Amino acid sequence: MAFNYEALDAVFDGDSSICASNLKSMWCEYACNAQKIDWLDVTGETTQELPDGEHVFEEILFSMNEDYACDLFQSCEKVSIIAESGI
């Protein structure tokens, strides 16, 4: 997780702390939330079963609440790297 946070900091380099903070929060929810089954759908086959009984999946569908997605986008839309890309 620290690597992902450092990558976000490197991309935004102080351009928008709220955007980076919101992306970090989203990543933490994705990586740490015990209830991730509520917003992840397995769409591919199991590619591997780990020794602890967990499975590695080939493909998943990530979805989030529309309001959450809009708030995240709005916190980042004026960040220069995003604005320049025309997203």
Side-chain angles (χ1 to χ4, degrees):
M1 180 120 36
F3 174 80
N4 294 317
Y5 282 9
E6 289 169 8
L8 283 169
D9 289 338
V11 167
F12 293 101
D13 193 28
D15 195 12
S16 175
S17 60
I18 191 69
C19 176
S21 178
N22 287 341
L23 289 168
K24 288 176 184 179
S25 177
M26 183 196 69
W27 181 256
C28 186
E29 279 294 312
Y30 169 74
C32 304
N33 189 324
Q35 299 301 315
K36 67 178 78 178
I37 194 68
D38 292 341
W39 39 273
L40 292 178
D41 290 323
V42 176
T43 57
E45 298 293 320
T46 300
T47 58
Q48 180 181 4
E49 184 170 343
L50 302 175
D52 63 1
E54 301 248 344
H55 292 88
V56 176
F57 295 99
E58 188 175 294
E59 187 177 317
I60 60 170
L61 175 65
F62 174 86
S63 61
M64 67 175 68
N65 175 288
E66 187 176 324
D67 290 335
Y68 184 83
C70 286
D71 289 345
L72 181 61
F73 174 79
Q74 288 173 349
S75 75
C76 295
E77 73 179 327
K78 294 195 186 324
V79 174
S80 60
I81 193 168
I82 294 171
E84 289 171 12
S85 69
I87 294 175

